[in-house]
Amino acid sequence: MDNGNEDHSRLEALKKFDESKAGVKGLVDAGLTSIPSFFVHSSETLSDLKKPTQNHTQTQSIPTIDLSGFDSDRRSAIVEQVGRSAREYGFFQIINHGISSEILDRTIKVVKEFHEQPLEAKEKYYGRGGGTGFSYMSNVDLYQSKAASWRDTMTVRLDAVTLDTVPEICKEAVAVWDREIVKLGEIVLELVGEGLGLCVGRFRELSCLGSRTMVGHYYPYCPQPDLTVGLGSHADPGLLTLLLQDHMGGLQIKSGDVWIDVKPLRGAIVVNIMSNDVYKSVDHRVLANMNREPRVSTAVFLYPSKREELYGPLPELTSKEKPQLYRQFTLTEFLRRFFTKELDEKSLKNFFKITT
């Protein structure tokens, strides 16, 4: 087989798909009954997508933490739950977090509405150049990945964007969501910091809420969900991720050698955090959508705002018994590497790990 011709044909197919600006939704709207070959994942990736009908892992779930009374005498118990959940799972869901169900529902609704606009209304936002403001694309790692995933994504750089750059259809809801996420992020980071034994306000000193990126994923019906995924296995680049799923779910996290469904819970927000491997950076993925109803989720990644300062494990969290596991790096360096590699490549964390 001529691999050169095969690679050239694949690249041409990727370019044609990308230049259409229609995304995966465009393929579905065109009546596609089988997925293009560049969406087909390897047998290794697909081997554990099918789960047995009866398996002990089906009863597992990530912890759910009730934040009501976080500023009362319940605080120490909540801090203990947060710390234990972050150490054991790297993920947990929070309820009674202060964001109303109306705002949660509206946020999901506008992400869906943006993606379901006619192509002529959204194609001007299509692009993978990064930068600032608002954009829409299919697969951030389209040209780097071994296989594409069945989803489209809108992205908002919340720290850099002005509302003028956000489409009218979701402008107001995005602004409200950002305000609510900042307030909730402050609370969660305080609880996380206390769980690590840090001084109050330590994460605030590091401007950890200063840079925020929102993504709104749209997973349309996939005619062959057993051949692809909605989002490949990966670990998030931010210090903290706050994720809102719709009622359909699809998210899975890896615990040991098994994948656990993160079942949607009405009003809940999923939290993902990491710190020097004390709190785990957990691989997670999203299954392709086998239902006719499209699936939607939105996540906000929180980073420090000072991109050229050096970051690494906090001195308070390292000792002779718990040495620093990762070298220092700038946020610019970290994000550049994250966005110029395959999303599900496992080398990112290892790239910054200190070898002995």
Side-chain angles (χ1 to χ4, degrees):
M1 182 180 293
D2 189 334
N3 288 332
N5 286 339
E6 184 179 347
D7 290 345
H8 178 75
S9 296
R10 183 177 187 277
L11 181 59
E12 289 301 307
L14 289 173
K15 286 181 177 178
K16 183 179 179 180
F17 169 73
D18 200 26
E19 290 169 1
S20 76
K21 301 182 180 180
V24 171
K25 185 178 185 299
L27 298 178
V28 176
D29 290 346
L32 202 75
T33 57
S34 61
I35 65 176
S37 59
F38 60 84
F39 282 99
V40 177
H41 283 248
S42 69
S43 57
E44 180 184 6
T45 299
L46 301 173
S47 63
D48 60 0
L49 290 183
K50 296 179 180 178
K51 297 176 293 185
T53 55
Q54 289 187 333
N55 189 294
H56 71 281
T57 63
Q58 299 307 292
T59 64
Q60 287 185 265
S61 62
I62 65 172
T64 298
I65 301 174
D66 184 345
L67 291 192
S68 59
F70 73 89
D71 54 354
S72 69
D73 56 4
R74 288 196 65 237
R75 188 178 185 91
S76 60
I78 293 172
V79 167
E80 193 276 330
Q81 284 182 286
V82 167
R84 184 174 67 252
S85 300
R87 285 180 174 88
E88 293 178 2
Y89 289 91
F91 273 79
F92 52 91
Q93 297 200 78
I94 52 175
I95 58 173
N96 295 322
H97 40 64
I99 303 180
S100 70
S101 58
E102 290 78 13
I103 292 175
L104 298 176
D105 293 344
R106 179 61 178 159
T107 302
I108 288 291
K109 183 173 183 285
V110 299
V111 171
K112 185 172 184 285
E113 287 175 342
F114 170 81
H115 284 286
E116 294 187 345
Q117 294 179 102
L119 179 58
E120 55 267 26
K122 61 185 180 181
E123 62 182 348
K124 62 183 176 181
Y125 299 105
Y126 194 94
R128 53 187 66 257
T132 62
F134 184 98
S135 63
Y136 139 74
M137 74 175 76
S138 186
N139 285 257
V140 66
D141 59 342
L142 181 67
Y143 292 102
Q144 291 82 33
S145 64
K146 298 179 182 69
S149 299
W150 200 257
R151 75 179 186 285
D152 299 327
T153 303
M154 56 172 261
T155 302
V156 194
R157 278 279 306 278
L158 295 169
D159 55 310
V161 73
T162 63
L163 285 182
D164 292 340
T165 70
V166 180
E168 194 66 36
I169 196 169
C170 54
K171 181 183 297 186
E172 181 182 357
V174 165
V176 171
W177 187 239
D178 185 34
R179 288 197 296 269
E180 295 294 329
I181 284 295
V182 168
K183 289 188 290 186
L184 180 58
E186 288 177 347
I187 294 169
V188 173
L189 281 177
E190 281 186 7
L191 298 173
V192 165
E194 288 181 42
L196 289 167
L198 298 175
C199 296
V200 175
R202 184 67 171 98
F203 283 124
R204 194 179 304 114
E205 292 175 9
L206 298 172
S207 70
C208 288
L209 292 170
S211 184
R212 303 174 304 283
T213 298
M214 172 184 176
V215 296
H217 294 308
Y218 184 87
Y219 303 93
Y221 165 71
C222 180
Q224 295 177 297
D226 56 333
L227 295 182
T228 190
V229 296
L231 185 57
S233 174
H234 68 288
D236 289 343
L239 171 68
L240 177 70
T241 303
L242 299 175
L243 168 72
L244 176 63
Q245 298 190 93
D246 69 6
H247 64 284
M248 298 177 69
L251 174 65
Q252 294 183 329
I253 71 162
K254 197 164 191 180
S255 178
D257 295 325
V258 300
W259 288 96
I260 299 174
D261 291 320
V262 180
K263 297 178 181 178
L265 182 62
R266 174 69 174 163
I269 292 177
V270 180
V271 179
N272 175 17
I273 191 162
M274 164 199 173
S275 178
N276 199 41
D277 282 359
V278 176
Y279 288 171
K280 296 181 179 180
S281 177
V282 176
D283 285 343
H284 51 287
R285 68 185 183 189
V286 179
L287 302 179
N289 182 16
M290 66 177 65
N291 300 297
R292 291 289 177 175
E293 179 185 358
R295 185 203 300 146
V296 174
S297 68
T298 183
V300 177
F301 307 109
L302 305 176
Y303 315 93
S305 60
K306 300 172 183 177
R307 295 197 167 210
E308 300 309 318
E309 288 196 4
L310 288 174
Y311 295 98
L314 296 175
E316 303 98 306
L317 301 180
T318 60
S319 64
K320 187 175 180 180
E321 292 73 28
K322 293 184 178 179
Q324 179 175 332
L325 299 179
Y326 299 92
R327 69 171 176 84
Q328 290 190 315
F329 49 82
T330 66
L331 185 58
T332 297
E333 177 190 11
F334 184 86
L335 292 178
R336 184 186 300 118
R337 182 162 182 83
F338 181 84
F339 287 111
T340 56
K341 71 174 191 66
E342 182 182 357
L343 185 61
D344 61 0
E345 185 180 313
K346 300 298 190 290
S347 63
L348 180 64
K349 196 167 73 163
N350 292 337
F351 180 80
F352 296 100
K353 197 154 193 174
I354 296 172
T355 57
T356 56

